[in-house]
Amino acid sequence: MTQEINLKSEITATQTGQRLDQTLAELFPDYSRTRIKEWIQAGWVYIDGVVSIKPREKVLEGQEIQVEATLVEETKAEAQAIDLDIVYEDDHIIVINKQAGLVVHPGAGNQDGTLMNALLHHCPNIELVPRAGIVHRLDKDTTGLMVVAKTVEAQTHLVAALQAREITREYEAIVQGTLISGGTVDEPIDRHPTKRTHMAVVHTGKPAMTHYRVAEKFRAHTRLRLRLESGRTHQIRVHMSHIGHTLVGDPVYGGRPRPPKGATPEFFETYMGFKRQALHAIRLELAHPHTCEIMSWQAPVPEDMAILTKALRQDTLENPSIV
């Protein structure tokens, strides 16, 4: 599958002397600097009708710029009919409420059955967009809201907005221990020095900041609302573990499950049966990449987290003085 791109503009006085790739990025902001450079080097950019293949070439006022490019298939994965909970969709974006157990990208151990496979079936043209339009991810067993770009233009804008921290992503989590108040974890994250499949707070890692506030206190647990300033792999799980409040059910960072003393058999069964990290992307807010309208979505916590929350409330009522 291919798509033809035809763009035309004229160099202004203020752009005289600039590099060609810089100027094209200004003239056509719907496309990334990397993609524009590829188009120049492919011979798809013309200055006054003459092919230019030098990204560093200087431009002059009055010159006519023309781009005649071809978008080709970017995503190499099989389209598969997988049910998606689509919260919103238009010609530019899809907002999905991801279910637990759904891997975002194909990879080792998950060659198919992923969100990417589902997107390629739901919207075949999305194969023209790198990574099938996926601009951020959720862990396999984290539920909640994700935005996906349906076009290259939308992807460019969403990636820029994420990098500029202009997209709000709010999460709900249930953690071990009782937190008195909210706060911020500002600690860099990178691969664990010895456990290569794990992430960790590493002083030489990439900057990562997580804000959290207390939504509800239980006798030995806390329900939190969290907001990310960055989007590192496993960020919330690592940051909460770092401050001694691991997520309930987290199989990687949570350690051995620790039900509170004096719990009823019913609570014990619910608590021990929660086999994933108690984390849900509950709210998403962004400026629409085409209309610039501020849009916001919320996804209620899934049933398993709602049942766990109810059980924690009941346990707190039944054992107010036992920790």
Side-chain angles (χ1 to χ4, degrees), residues 57-297:
E57 181 173 344
K58 298 296 189 289
V59 298
L60 300 172
E61 179 183 4
Q63 288 179 325
E64 184 182 79
I65 300 291
Q66 189 168 354
V67 178
E68 296 180 356
T70 302
L71 293 181
V72 297
E73 180 183 347
E74 291 268 0
T75 303
K76 303 294 184 182
E78 179 185 353
Q80 294 178 314
I82 300 168
D83 288 340
L84 293 174
D85 182 2
I86 296 175
V87 177
Y88 174 83
E89 182 174 10
D90 60 24
D91 291 340
H92 309 277
I93 62 174
I94 309 172
V95 177
I96 293 164
N97 182 16
K98 189 185 85 65
Q99 64 265 41
L102 182 62
V103 175
V104 172
H105 297 104
N110 296 285
Q111 294 300 323
D112 55 16
T114 71
L115 174 60
M116 180 179 286
N117 300 109
L119 289 168
L120 289 166
H121 180 270
H122 174 74
C123 180
N125 284 343
I126 213 166
E127 71 178 11
L128 298 172
V129 185
R131 297 176 300 283
I134 296 168
V135 295
H136 66 119
R137 63 186 293 274
L138 294 175
D139 295 334
K140 175 183 177 181
D141 287 323
T142 298
T143 56
L145 296 169
M146 291 181 62
V147 62
V148 176
K150 293 177 71 173
T151 67
V152 170
E153 298 91 333
Q155 186 199 43
T156 301
H157 285 268
L158 289 174
V159 169
L162 281 166
Q163 292 174 344
R165 300 178 180 177
E166 294 170 350
I167 294 180
T168 298
R169 291 170 289 164
E170 191 170 326
Y171 295 75
E172 180 151 319
I174 300 172
V175 300
Q176 304 276 0
T178 302
L179 283 155
I180 304 302
S181 62
T184 296
V185 183
D186 184 4
E187 295 287 353
I189 291 176
D190 209 336
R191 289 285 170 192
H192 192 285
T194 58
K195 302 175 182 177
R196 301 309 296 169
T197 59
H198 294 203
M199 306 300 288
V201 168
V202 179
H203 294 304
T204 56
K206 297 177 181 179
M209 185 179 294
T210 304
H211 305 287
Y212 63 92
R213 61 183 174 84
V214 174
E216 188 174 3
K217 297 177 186 177
F218 309 108
R219 69 179 180 116
H221 298 82
T222 309
R223 182 166 65 88
L224 298 177
R225 281 293 186 100
L226 307 100
R227 183 167 53 83
L228 299 181
E229 289 282 349
S230 46
R232 308 302 173 205
T233 300
H234 299 176
Q235 179 172 322
I236 289 174
R237 299 163 67 187
V238 170
H239 272 171
M240 289 299 102
S241 176
H242 180 71
I243 65 171
H245 294 280
T246 57
L247 271 63
V248 170
D250 192 331
V252 176
Y253 305 101
R256 184 173 57 84
R258 300 190 299 276
K261 299 175 182 177
T264 65
E266 292 79 11
F267 176 84
F268 186 84
E269 182 179 352
T270 299
Y271 187 86
M272 298 301 290
F274 198 89
K275 298 297 187 181
R276 69 176 183 92
Q277 61 270 11
L279 183 62
H280 174 70
I282 196 166
R283 180 172 173 268
L284 177 69
E285 182 175 295
L286 53 85
H288 190 281
H290 183 69
T291 66
C292 298
E293 175 189 358
I294 300 298
M295 305 185 76
S296 180
W297 301 271

Side-chain angles (χ1 to χ4, degrees), residues 26-65:
E26 291 178 3
L27 292 172
F28 310 117
D30 286 342
Y31 303 95
S32 69
R33 186 86 169 254
T34 299
R35 184 173 293 274
I36 284 170
K37 183 177 180 180
E38 291 173 354
W39 287 349
I40 295 170
Q41 293 173 334
W44 292 345
V45 175
Y46 300 81
I47 300 178
D48 289 336
V50 179
V51 172
S52 176
I53 59 171
K54 298 178 180 179
R56 295 175 177 271
E57 181 173 344
K58 298 296 189 289
V59 298
L60 300 172
E61 179 183 4
Q63 288 179 325
E64 184 182 79
I65 300 291

